[in-house]
Amino acid sequence: MSDDIRSEVVRMLIDVVGEDFLLDVEIGPGTAFGDDLGLESIEFVALVDRLRTHYGDRVDFPAFIAGLDLDQLINLTIGDLVDHIAAQEQAHA
């Protein structure tokens, strides 16, 4: 399930920032939104908006983000986000 979720997150990320932006970046679980991808806050908000549209109320993204301290937010990775989605999906299954 995590691989499917990761693929979906990457697809949405490409929709937000454009495929050309990610050509030189290999995206995996350890890829950080800030350091590795250089995602601007507006781009991250757009990604979360797409994720909320896709996953609905099953995955509470605002609560997840609000629960992170500054270091966790700055160092948030694809894997962190995927793990959160997978845990929420499993809890609502």
Side-chain angles (χ1 to χ4, degrees), residues 47-65:
L47 174 61
V48 169
D49 186 54
R50 287 176 186 261
L51 290 166
R52 282 181 28 197
T53 299
H54 182 77
Y55 290 102
D57 293 335
R58 297 184 316 268
V59 181
D60 190 354
F61 292 105
F64 172 62
I65 299 301

Side-chain angles (χ1 to χ4, degrees), residues 1-12:
M1 177 161 86
S2 290
D3 286 340
D4 293 339
I5 294 170
R6 185 172 54 238
S7 295
E8 190 66 29
V9 169
V10 170
R11 184 189 64 73
M12 290 181 197

Side-chain angles (χ1 to χ4, degrees), residues 6 27-32 76-80 82:
R6 185 172 54 238
I27 299 175
T31 304
L76 188 68
T77 66
I78 297 284
D80 296 332
V82 168

